[in-house]
Each structure stands twice: as structure tokens, then as C-alpha cells.
Amino acid sequence: MDAKVFLKETYGNTRYQLGGHGKRTVDVLKEAIVNVDDRLPSDQYGAGKVIEDFQQKMADYLGKETAVFFPSGTMAQQAALRIWCDAKGLKRVAYHPLSHLEIHEQDGLKELHGIETVLLADKERLIELDDIKGLDEEVACILLELPQREIGGQLPDFEELEQISGWCRNNGIKLHLDGARLLETLPYYRKTAAQVAQLFDSVYVSFYKGIGGIAGAILAGDEEFTQQSKIWKRRYGGDLISLYPYILAADYYFDMRAEKMGQYYEEAKELAELFNSCHTVSTLPLKPATNMFHVHIEQPMESAVRIVSEVQQETGIGMTGYLVQSAVDRCSFEISVGDALAAIPKDSLKELFRLFNQKLQPPH
């Protein structure tokens, strides 16, 4: 596993940050509920106006019949894949080797559901139609992650998605979208969320990543699918007596930021150019496909930690809270552009990259 070094002290003490929407504090909730009518009835065990109105809003946005609010995406996606496996009577699914389910969930899909997984493509690239056509084993469902986070937020062409969708439907394979960052893909595709979602049988969207809410997710599909998902939500213990803090925050920040994804995307491309102008630094991809990309530094970990820490301390601008070592002389970190970047004074941003580039230069 890649070594990871946290830079909590220097990052935590910065005034500005390159990525995200700002530091996560309880103000995220306070801001969302300041104008909410305190007489509004709470949702209870998955029912009530608060949750039902938001679920319908998201179903309409995604162009699906119905939608269900889950407290976590992990819960929602495992439920989705189990439903499709049960429908086909086959406990086998396929996804990318760096799928969240494969590397971040402690094998929950396998341990809790006994579902076998087939890994498509390799770690360095996106899944392509030929990978799916070349499957040696029958699968009930294929999961596609848009964008593919662990390789810098890369995206397939929309035409490739259409071909994959058509092939899966013609061959009786369900297609599920890990759309944790679906909204972030829309400026690149120049499509609506519904136009992307129509290619998939089920869709998951997160509300704490690009949207910047507290937590929570939507799982959308047809009526039969979502009714089954409600059963699995109950089995998982996801039907808390009330989920309204998550829902109110999700709704508030969705309305605030859904239409700003194009701005974040343009700013991410400009930011990537600044990183790529620095000595021994490159981004993956070179031109971001979304507001997210990875920054690679060709320096030993010890040197990179020192340089980034010094730059953060001297400028008061947080570049990253961690570095991941991927080779002896190479490390990286991830940036997702949000509201925070625009708050940085232009002169301060210019000074950040001047200083960063200077410190990356070899000693004379």
C-alpha cells in the first residue's frame, strides 16, 4: 500500500485552501438551517415531507422514477449491487480495480453479501467497451465510476458510455453508476444529469463531496428497484428515526452549488496549469476533466513534505493535508476545486506558486 504522510499542523493553520469549500466545521449545518421554519415536522424512519420532497426532487433531477436518501454512499451502493444480483440470481459483479468498493470498504460487498467481484481494465486506465466484451465470466451488474477518482478524475467520452450502456442492455447486464461526483462531470460532457443517468439502471450521488453537505447519498432508479433499496436500507440500520440534518444540508448546498460546477471546472484547469509550470510537478490528467485532479511531485517524500509544509506555513495557503508516496522519488495529492479557491487573493496565489517553484529547484 502507498505510504501516506499527513500535514495536519501546517495545513490546519492556514487561512486559505486551494481545494474544497473551506474547513468543515459545524457552521456547515448552521448555515443550512438558519432560515428553516422550526415548525417543520421531522422525517421519521424514512417517511415525512422533509425526506419525501427531497427524494422526489432528486429523482426528477436525475430523470428517474424514484429515489431514496441513504445516510452513506457505501450503504447505498452495496444495496444496489445486491438488488441487481438477486434479480438475476447471480452473485457476481464487475468494476474498476480502484473502485471505492474494492479499496475503501473493507470488502463489505464480499463479506456481507457473498458477492464475487471481477476487476475490469487495469489500475492505470479507464474501463472500455472492449474490457466488458472480453469478460470471461457472466456478471449481474457492472459498476462505472464517473469520474474515476483514483486516477485523477478521468472520464470516458460520452460516446463510449453510450456504447457501453447499449451493450449491457442488449446482453442482460445491469449498469450502475457510482456518481458520487456526477455533478462534477456535467461541464465536461455538456449534458444534464438526467442525460447521463438515463444510460444507467441505477444511480448513486453523494452530497458531501462536491456539494459540500454533511453526509448522505441518493440512490435512484425505477419503482421496483427503489422499493427493494428501502428494504436493504432498513436491514443495514440506515433508517434512523430522523435524517433531516443531513437532508436539509444536502438540499441547501445542492441549490447553492449545483450550478457552480462549470465555474469550478474552469478554475481547476487554470490551477492545473499553475502546477504544471512548476519544476518536477505534473498533474493527472494534464488537463482536468472535472474540478478534481491529482498533483504529482517528482521528489522523495521527505523533501516533498518539507517543501509543501514550508510553503503552507509561509503563505498561509493550504495546498494539501497529506502526501501519498507512489514511488521512491515520487508522491502525490488530490485537489477538488470548490468555493475556497476564489477566496484567495490573486497576489497571494501568485506568490504561492512562485515560492513553491523556487523551493522545488535543485540547490545551486
Side-chain angles (χ1 to χ4, degrees), residues 4 7 9 14 45 77 82 130 137 144-145 161 214 233 267 275 307 312 317 324 341 346:
K4 193 170 189 177
L7 311 175
E9 184 174 347
T14 55
Y45 296 115
Q77 296 212 99
R82 175 60 186 266
D130 286 343
E137 302 174 272
L144 292 184
E145 180 185 354
L161 284 181
I214 301 171
K233 181 182 173 186
E267 291 172 340
F275 274 110
I307 291 170
Q312 293 186 151
I317 299 175
V324 176
L341 180 61
K346 297 298 183 184

Side-chain angles (χ1 to χ4, degrees), residues 218-262:
I218 275 289
L219 187 61
D222 63 26
E223 181 69 31
E224 182 179 355
F225 171 81
T226 52
Q227 286 303 316
Q228 287 294 315
S229 75
K230 287 180 179 179
I231 293 171
W232 278 107
K233 181 182 173 186
R234 177 61 61 90
R235 287 169 174 164
Y236 262 99
D239 259 339
L240 309 186
I241 184 172
S242 296
L243 288 165
Y244 68 86
Y246 305 117
I247 297 166
L248 292 174
D251 196 14
Y252 176 81
Y253 290 109
F254 175 84
D255 287 346
M256 176 187 291
R257 293 177 174 138
E259 298 302 318
K260 297 176 72 175
M261 293 299 166

Side-chain angles (χ1 to χ4, degrees), residues 173-192:
I173 299 173
K174 295 298 183 181
L175 191 61
H176 172 75
L177 172 58
D178 178 343
R181 297 168 176 81
L182 170 61
L183 274 68
E184 289 91 312
T185 72
L186 304 182
Y188 177 84
Y189 284 136
R190 299 184 180 181
K191 303 290 184 183
T192 66

